[in-house]
Amino acid sequence: MNLMLNKFARFSFFGLITLVAVMITCRASAQVTIGETVDYAAPLTYRIAGISVVGAVQTDPQAIKLFSGLQDGDEVLIPGDKISDAIRKLWKQRLFTDIGIYAAEFRGNDVFLVIEVKEAPRMSKFDFKGIKKSEADNIREKVDLRSMTICNDNMKNNAIAVMKEYFSDKGYFNAKITASERPDSDPKVQNCVVLTFNVDRGDRVKIKEIVFEGAGVATEKKKLLFYESRKSKPVLSDAAIKRTMKETKEKRWYRIFKSSKFIEEKFEEDKEKIIARYNKEGFRNARIISDSIYVISSELIGIKMKIEEDRRFYFRDITFVGNAKYTTSRLDSIVNIEPGEIYNSALLDAKLMFNPQGLDVTSLYSDDGYLGVNVIPVETFIEPDSIDVEVRIMEGSQYRIGKVTISGNTKTNDHVIFREIRTRPGELFSRSDIIRTQRELAALGYFNQEGFDIRTVPRPDEGLVDIEYVLEEKPNDQIQLSGGWGGGRVIGSLQLSFTNFSMRNFFKKGAWSPLPTGDGQRFSVSASSNGLYFRSWNASFTEPWVGGKKPNSLTFSFSDSRQTNGQTKKLKQKDIDGSADLRAKGYKAGDLNPYLQELKVIGGSVSFGKRLQRPDDYFLLYTGLSYQQFQLKRFTSFFGNFTDGVSNNISWDCTLTRSSTSDPIYPTYGSQVTLTTKFTPPYTHLREKIGGEAIDYVNMTDQDKYRYVEYYKVKFTAHWYTALNKHKERKFVLHTNLGLGFLGSYNSKLGQSPFERFYLGGVYLSGYRLDGREFVNLRGYDDLSLTFPSSSTGSPAIVKYSMELRYPLSTNPSATIFAMTFADAGNTWSDLRSFNPFNVYRSAGVGLRIFLPMFGLLGFDYGWRLDDVPSVNRGIMSKGQFHFSIGMNLGEL
C-alpha cells in the first residue's frame, strides 16, 4: 500500500482521475490498468509477481490465495476473466461479506495484486430465550452448532429448521423461532457474535378428529349362532381403522399411554398399516387417494383421508407346480386355505415361507436338506371377486452339512458350545435344528442374543453347506448383595455365582482372570449373617456334562448354619459380673454359657440330571440324595417341646421338568412344567413291619420322634409364556403360572413333620430356611399372613395362581427391564382334607423388573389385596403393599 501511495504522489491531476476510474472498474470487473487508459479491445498480459491479502482476521491468508486459484508466476490478461473467476471462487466459500482484487503496482510486465476481504462474523456461542434450560440442552444436542462457525443465513435457517422439527415432534406445530445476533464483548475474540434464538413454542397441537371418506362402503352380514343377521355392517368401520393407526390418535380424556400429537413420519407409517389391514380383509386394491390436515383451533387439528376400498376378493383355487418331493395333498394340508376364504396375501405368504406360528412349506423343505428351495405364489387368474393362485416351487438339491464352525467366543471353550449345537457334519441340513441350536445357546446365558448370527455358505458343486455360528460373549457372573428381615433383625446376604466356571483350570497358571472360566460349569457360594443371632453359608458346584459326551449333570452342595438367641458360646467376665445367678452357681469366665439357645444345621447333597429323549428332548430328569442334621441345644423356636437333641433328615429327591422357553430372562414363548417329589424312608413302618418292634407312640419322647424325620412331599408348577403381538419387535407377553404343594405323612400316629412346610404371603426376603421351609410370595398381603394355621408352624398344603402381562422397556442384555400388571391368588391349609383350590385370597397390582448381569433380577411391585384375612386385624394390614424382591421367581411355586 505504501508503494501504491508513493506512486499516487507522482501522478498529475489527470492521472488521479484515471486511477479512481480504474479502481472503480477493478471492483466491478477485476480488469485494471494503472497510469494508462484501459483498452478492453486489446488486453495486455501480465505475470503475477506477488499477491498480498488484506482484511483477513480468522482466515489464513494462504488459504484465501488457494481458494482464489491465483498463484505467483501465473499469467493473467488485464482486462480478463481470470481475476473475475477468482472473485467468484472466493464467494463460493461463504466466508466473506465483501471481496475485492486490485493491482497495487506494475513493473513492466509484472503486476502485484491485492486481495481485500471483509470476513463474515463467526459465532462464538449461542443461547435461547423463551424455553427452559433442560429443553435448551436437548436442542443443543440436535442442532450441533459449533463455536467459531461462520454465522450466515444458511447456518441460522438450518438450525431453526431442526428446532421446528424438534418442537413439531413434541406437538408444537405453531412454534415461531427467530435468530438475532449481537457482537461478542469478549476482547479475546475478534469479529465474533453471540447468536440468540428467540423461541415461542405456542400451544401444543393435538389431533381432535380423524375423518375418513370412502371407508366403510363395503359391508357384510354378521353371522350369528344359528342364522345370519339381516343387518349389514361395514367390514372396516371408522373405529376399526383408527385402532389400526397405532401412533396417530385422536385426543381423548382417557388416553394415557398414547399421545394424540401429530408426527408426520408416524402418520406415514400408520397409513401403510391401514392399507395392510384392508389387504388382510381381502381388499387387495385398497388405497389412500389423498390426505389433508386442517386447522380447527390454535391447539387442535383434524386429519381427513380419502380411501378407495374397491371390491373384496376371495381365494378360489390354489395349485402347486414343481413339487416332486412332497405331494400336493401334503402341501395343501400345510397351507390349509379353502376356496371362498377371504383373500389375504400376508396369510398365504406366512403359510408358504417362515411362518412364526407353525409349520410352512419352505420350512418343510428346508428341514429336509433343501437349502435353496424357492416358493413363489403367482396370481394366475382374477375374476370379479375371486383369485386363483399358482404356487411355483423350485426345490433345488438336497444339501448336507459340511463344516460347522463358531466364532466370537472369547471366553467360553469350543467344546462347551459344540455340545449344544444340533447341526452335525454329514447330516441333512435342517432349519429346525438351527433354530433349536440358537435356543440352546441362548439358554446357556453366556452370549448376547442381539449379537447372535448364523452364516450359511453353500457349496453347490459338492452338495454341502458350511454353517458358522457367530457369537458375542456377555457378562453372566453375578454378585448379589441383599438385605432381609427375619427374627426381628436385619439379615445381610452375599452371593457369588459363576455360571461359566472351569474347575480343570483351577490350578492352571494364568487362567485366573479373575477366575478360571470357559467350561460351562456352575459354582456358587453364599453367606448370610446378622451377627450373633444367625450365620449361614453354602456352596454348590455343577458339571452340566459329566464325561463330556451327553448332557448329564452332576451337582454337589454343602451348607452349614447356626442360629442362637444372641448369647455367646462361652461366658465372659462381664456376664459373670452382671449375673448374681451365675456367680451363685460358681460359673467363671470361659465356662460354657448355660443361657445359650442354639440350633446348628449341617447338610450336603448330590444330584444327577439327565436330558430325556422321550417324549421329546425338552424333558429333563433330576434325582438326588440329601442329608441334613439338626443339633438343638435348649432351642424352642421350631420343634415345639423338642428342645435338646439331634434330628436327621435323609431324603431322596426326584424332579421331572419340561422347558421350552425362548429366553431365561424375558421369555416370549414356550412353557416350563415341573413335577417334584421328595420323600424320606418310612422309619416307623420299617421298625414295626420289618424289625418287629412295638412302638409306644403315647410315651414316645420328642428325641425318638424326630431322631429320623419321615415325610413325603409333592410339588407341581407350570409356567406358560404367550406373545400377544407376535409380529412386533417388542412383544406384550402373557405369563400365567400354577403351583401346588402337599406335605404328607406315612404314619398318622406320628403326625405331620415339622420340616419342609409352606409359608405364604407378601414377598419374604428372610434368610431363615433352616428346616427346609419354602416361602411362597403373594403380593398385596403382609409377609407370611396367609400361612394357616400359623406363620410359626407353616402349612402342609398350598396353592398359588398368578397371571402377569409383561412389556419390555429394554431388551439390552446388560440391562433388561420390563414392566407388568399382575393378578395373584393363593391359600394354604392346615391339613389335606380341607384343601380347596377355589378358596383363595386374591390381589392385583403393577410391577417392574430390572435384570443386571452382576446383580440378578430385581423386582419392584405394588400389590392391592382384594380379600380380607380373618386372622389379621384389618387396621394393621393395609390394602396396598409395596414389595421388593431379588431373584428370578417369586417364591418356589
Side-chain angles (χ1 to χ4, degrees):
M1 291 295 296
N2 293 334
L3 177 63
M4 185 175 182
L5 291 175
N6 292 336
K7 197 158 188 169
F8 285 167
R10 297 195 299 270
F11 283 165
S12 63
F13 176 76
F14 176 77
L16 181 61
I17 297 298
T18 303
L19 177 60
V20 172
V22 169
M23 292 185 68
I24 293 173
T25 304
C26 176
R27 292 284 184 180
S29 61
Q31 299 175 357
V32 56
T33 60
I34 295 180
E36 54 185 282
T37 304
V38 177
D39 186 358
Y40 288 96
L44 299 177
T45 301
Y46 293 90
R47 187 181 69 86
I48 300 176
I51 303 173
S52 58
V53 177
V54 177
V57 178
Q58 302 288 347
T59 311
D60 185 5
Q62 295 301 322
I64 295 176
K65 294 179 185 180
L66 183 64
F67 294 151
S68 71
L70 299 176
Q71 297 181 10
D72 291 353
D74 287 354
E75 293 186 348
V76 295
L77 287 174
I78 300 179
D81 294 334
K82 194 165 186 178
I83 292 179
S84 299
D85 289 341
I87 293 177
R88 282 192 290 269
K89 290 178 182 178
L90 290 173
W91 277 119
K92 288 181 179 180
Q93 305 306 314
R94 297 182 178 179
L95 299 175
F96 313 105
T97 59
D98 190 23
I99 303 171
I101 301 178
Y102 55 90
E105 182 182 1
F106 289 97
R107 293 180 183 175
N109 291 330
D110 291 344
V111 61
F112 293 86
L113 299 180
V114 175
I115 302 176
E116 184 177 7
V117 298
K118 183 178 181 181
E119 289 184 327
R122 294 177 181 261
M123 181 201 70
S124 58
K125 54 187 175 182
F126 66 98
D127 54 26
F128 300 90
K129 287 185 178 180
I131 57 176
K132 296 179 180 179
K133 182 181 181 301
S134 59
E135 199 161 38
D137 293 339
N138 293 335
I139 296 176
R140 286 179 186 275
E141 296 177 359
K142 293 184 176 294
V143 296
D144 194 26
L145 290 179
R146 300 181 182 181
S147 180
M148 307 310 292
T149 303
I150 296 297
C151 185
N152 53 33
D153 291 340
N154 183 59
M155 182 266 280
K156 298 176 188 175
N157 293 336
N158 288 340
I160 289 174
V162 172
M163 294 179 201
K164 285 189 173 182
E165 183 180 356
Y166 170 83
F167 286 113
S168 177
D169 290 345
K170 298 291 183 181
Y172 297 97
F173 265 32
N174 301 320
K176 297 178 181 179
I177 305 172
T178 59
S180 60
E181 56 186 69
R182 64 182 186 277
D184 194 332
S185 58
D186 188 349
K188 296 181 181 179
V189 294
Q190 300 180 24
N191 194 32
C192 290
V193 297
V194 177
L195 192 60
T196 299
F197 293 99
N198 303 287
V199 179
D200 180 9
R201 297 187 306 181
D203 296 323
R204 189 188 295 268
V205 177
K206 299 283 188 176
I207 302 170
K208 179 177 176 57
E209 59 186 16
I210 302 175
V211 179
F212 301 101
E213 181 181 330
V217 174
T219 61
E220 64 178 356
K221 290 184 178 180
K222 187 176 181 180
K223 293 183 178 180
L224 302 179
L225 185 60
F226 299 108
Y227 63 93
E228 188 173 73
S229 172
R230 296 181 181 179
K231 295 182 179 180
S232 296
K233 66 179 185 69
V235 175
L236 281 179
S237 63
D238 288 2
I241 300 175
K242 290 175 183 178
R243 286 194 297 270
T244 302
M245 303 172 71
K246 301 301 183 183
E247 304 296 335
T248 309
K249 299 291 186 180
E250 293 173 320
K251 182 180 179 181
R252 294 290 184 267
W253 65 268
Y254 53 80
R255 201 175 302 286
I256 300 175
F257 299 105
K258 284 292 184 180
S259 172
S260 58
K261 64 186 179 184
F262 179 82
I263 302 175
E264 186 172 358
E265 180 183 355
K266 300 296 183 183
F267 177 57
E268 294 298 324
E269 294 176 3
D270 281 339
K271 290 198 297 183
E272 295 178 3
K273 292 175 183 175
I274 291 174
I275 297 303
R277 177 65 188 277
Y278 268 104
N279 293 159
K280 183 179 179 180
E281 296 294 338
F283 297 95
R284 173 180 173 273
N285 300 327
R287 62 193 181 106
I288 298 175
I289 299 175
S290 63
D291 61 83
S292 59
I293 300 172
Y294 53 91
V295 178
I296 298 176
S297 67
S298 60
E299 300 180 6
L300 298 172
I301 62 172
I303 300 175
K304 184 177 181 180
M305 284 185 282
K306 187 176 182 180
I307 299 176
E308 183 180 82
E309 292 180 337
D310 199 44
R311 60 191 183 275
R312 196 177 200 180
F313 287 88
Y314 300 86
F315 284 107
R316 192 169 67 176
D317 294 329
I318 300 178
T319 57
F320 296 89
V321 176
N323 52 310
K325 174 67 177 180
Y326 298 102
T327 64
T328 298
S329 60
R330 177 76 172 99
L331 301 180
D332 275 333
S333 65
I334 295 175
V335 175
N336 194 27
I337 295 177
E338 299 294 333
E341 289 189 25
I342 296 172
Y343 185 80
N344 182 353
S345 59
L347 174 64
L348 179 62
D349 289 343
K351 298 283 188 161
L352 296 178
M353 294 166 284
F354 307 123
N355 182 9
Q357 302 180 19
L359 185 62
D360 57 81
V361 173
T362 300
S363 297
L364 180 68
Y365 275 94
S366 61
D367 284 347
D368 199 23
Y370 290 91
L371 175 64
V373 63
N374 197 3
V375 180
I376 305 173
V378 179
E379 298 175 352
T380 56
F381 189 77
I382 303 175
E383 284 194 340
D385 65 348
S386 299
I387 298 177
D388 290 344
V389 178
E390 182 178 86
V391 180
R392 299 171 183 175
I393 300 175
M394 289 171 278
E395 295 178 340
S397 303
Q398 276 185 312
Y399 281 80
R400 291 190 175 274
I401 299 173
K403 298 178 182 178
V404 178
T405 58
I406 54 177
S407 61
N409 53 316
T410 56
K411 183 171 67 173
T412 307
N413 294 324
D414 288 355
H415 73 274
V416 175
I417 301 171
F418 275 120
R419 67 194 186 191
E420 303 292 343
I421 292 177
R422 300 300 181 94
T423 52
R424 307 292 184 184
E427 296 180 352
L428 284 174
F429 176 85
S430 172
R431 176 175 170 267
S432 295
D433 287 344
I434 290 180
I435 294 175
R436 181 64 186 275
T437 297
Q438 185 174 3
R439 176 191 175 277
E440 297 297 337
L441 292 177
L444 292 176
Y446 307 154
F447 308 110
N448 178 9
Q449 291 194 62
E450 296 181 358
F452 194 93
D453 191 20
I454 301 170
R455 299 171 183 170
T456 56
V457 182
R459 289 186 275 162
D461 296 340
E462 304 174 64
L464 299 175
V465 56
D466 297 334
I467 302 174
E468 179 185 8
Y469 294 94
V470 182
L471 308 171
E472 180 182 321
E473 299 266 11
K474 72 173 184 180
N476 61 319
D477 296 331
Q478 295 181 7
I479 301 176
Q480 289 190 12
L481 181 62
S482 60
W485 182 262
R489 298 170 184 86
V490 176
I491 301 173
S493 299
L494 175 66
Q495 179 175 344
L496 305 178
S497 299
F498 308 101
T499 58
N500 196 2
F501 194 71
S502 177
M503 183 59 73
R504 67 188 177 96
N505 293 328
F506 193 84
F507 299 102
K508 186 176 180 180
K509 185 179 180 181
W512 289 72
S513 59
L515 289 171
T517 60
D519 282 343
Q521 297 164 343
R522 293 186 290 274
F523 175 69
S524 68
V525 59
S526 65
S528 301
S529 178
N530 68 351
L532 287 174
Y533 295 91
F534 174 76
R535 61 111 182 114
S536 173
W537 71 268
N538 64 76
S540 67
F541 173 79
T542 300
E543 168 55 68
W545 284 65
V546 178
K549 295 183 179 180
K550 293 183 178 181
N552 300 328
S553 65
L554 184 63
T555 301
F556 298 93
S557 67
F558 303 93
S559 64
D560 177 73
S561 60
R562 178 176 181 264
Q563 184 177 349
T564 72
N565 60 346
Q567 294 286 331
T568 57
K569 187 174 183 179
K570 293 184 179 181
L571 292 173
K572 298 181 180 180
Q573 186 59 47
K574 64 178 182 179
D575 299 325
I576 304 297
D577 296 339
S579 174
D581 182 58
L582 290 176
R583 292 195 301 271
K585 293 180 179 180
Y587 284 95
K588 58 182 182 299
D591 290 345
L592 294 177
N593 192 338
Y595 298 143
L596 173 65
Q597 297 178 11
E598 182 183 42
L599 170 63
K600 288 184 178 181
V601 184
I602 59 173
S605 67
V606 57
S607 62
F608 178 78
K610 178 181 178 61
R611 180 179 293 164
L612 305 180
Q613 300 300 319
R614 297 287 186 274
D616 59 39
D617 59 2
Y618 288 108
F619 279 87
L620 296 171
L621 177 65
Y622 297 95
T623 183
L625 181 66
S626 62
Y627 171 73
Q628 281 184 308
Q629 185 183 78
F630 299 84
Q631 301 174 10
L632 292 86
K633 183 181 295 185
R634 295 180 290 274
F635 197 82
T636 60
S637 296
F638 292 139
F639 306 102
N641 296 324
F642 181 39
T643 59
D644 288 273
V646 175
S647 181
N648 299 278
N649 183 4
I650 305 173
S651 63
W652 184 267
D653 304 355
C654 185
T655 300
L656 178 65
T657 182
R658 185 187 188 276
S659 177
S660 60
T661 56
S662 59
D663 180 79
I665 306 302
Y666 187 75
T668 56
Y669 65 86
S671 63
Q672 181 173 346
V673 181
T674 303
L675 176 64
T676 301
T677 60
K678 186 175 185 179
F679 54 91
T680 65
Y683 298 108
T684 55
H685 177 78
L686 296 176
R687 289 166 61 185
E688 289 180 323
K689 301 298 182 181
I690 299 178
E693 180 180 352
I695 301 176
D696 184 1
Y697 292 99
V698 176
N699 298 314
M700 179 181 285
T701 64
D702 289 328
Q703 174 62 81
D704 289 337
K705 183 183 293 187
Y706 297 124
R707 178 174 283 110
Y708 291 98
V709 183
E710 58 180 70
Y711 61 86
Y712 64 88
K713 186 176 184 180
V714 180
K715 289 194 304 179
F716 174 80
T717 61
H719 298 260
W720 296 274
Y721 302 90
T722 307
L724 302 184
N725 50 342
K726 299 181 180 180
H727 302 290
K728 295 291 186 67
E729 182 179 355
R730 292 190 175 183
K731 301 175 176 64
F732 278 102
V733 175
L734 181 65
H735 169 216
T736 54
N737 75 279
L738 159 70
L740 301 169
F742 303 99
L743 177 67
S745 62
Y746 303 113
N747 193 332
S748 60
K749 298 178 182 179
L750 196 64
Q752 290 280 359
S753 166
F755 296 91
E756 302 288 339
R757 295 202 169 199
F758 301 101
Y759 297 76
L760 178 66
V763 176
Y764 198 60
L765 295 179
S766 171
Y768 294 110
R769 304 193 182 196
L770 302 180
D771 55 350
R773 59 181 58 191
E774 296 190 29
F775 298 113
V776 180
N777 299 324
L778 200 150
R779 295 161 283 190
Y781 293 84
D782 285 351
D783 292 347
L784 312 184
S785 61
L786 301 179
T787 306
F788 302 108
S790 167
S791 60
S792 61
T793 60
S795 303
I798 188 172
V799 66
K800 164 79 180 294
Y801 311 99
S802 181
M803 180 182 296
E804 297 176 345
L805 181 61
R806 301 175 170 183
Y807 181 76
L809 304 178
S810 169
T811 56
N812 190 326
S814 61
T816 302
I817 306 172
F818 58 91
M820 68 172 71
T821 60
F822 66 82
D824 289 346
N827 201 358
T828 59
W829 293 267
S830 58
D831 61 79
L832 300 183
R833 290 173 295 181
S834 59
F835 176 79
N836 182 358
F838 303 105
N839 179 21
V840 292
Y841 294 92
R842 303 162 299 165
S843 68
V846 296
L848 183 71
R849 294 292 179 271
I850 302 175
F851 176 79
L852 301 174
M854 290 297 292
F855 296 99
L857 191 68
L858 307 178
F860 306 88
D861 297 285
Y862 184 82
W864 186 266
R865 64 183 177 88
L866 303 178
D867 299 298
D868 292 327
V869 182
S871 61
V872 177
N873 190 317
R874 298 181 186 179
I876 297 176
M877 184 187 295
S878 61
K879 275 287 188 180
Q881 299 260 4
F882 177 80
H883 303 287
F884 172 71
S885 61
I886 300 176
M888 295 298 296
N889 298 312
L890 289 176
E892 300 294 332
L893 295 183

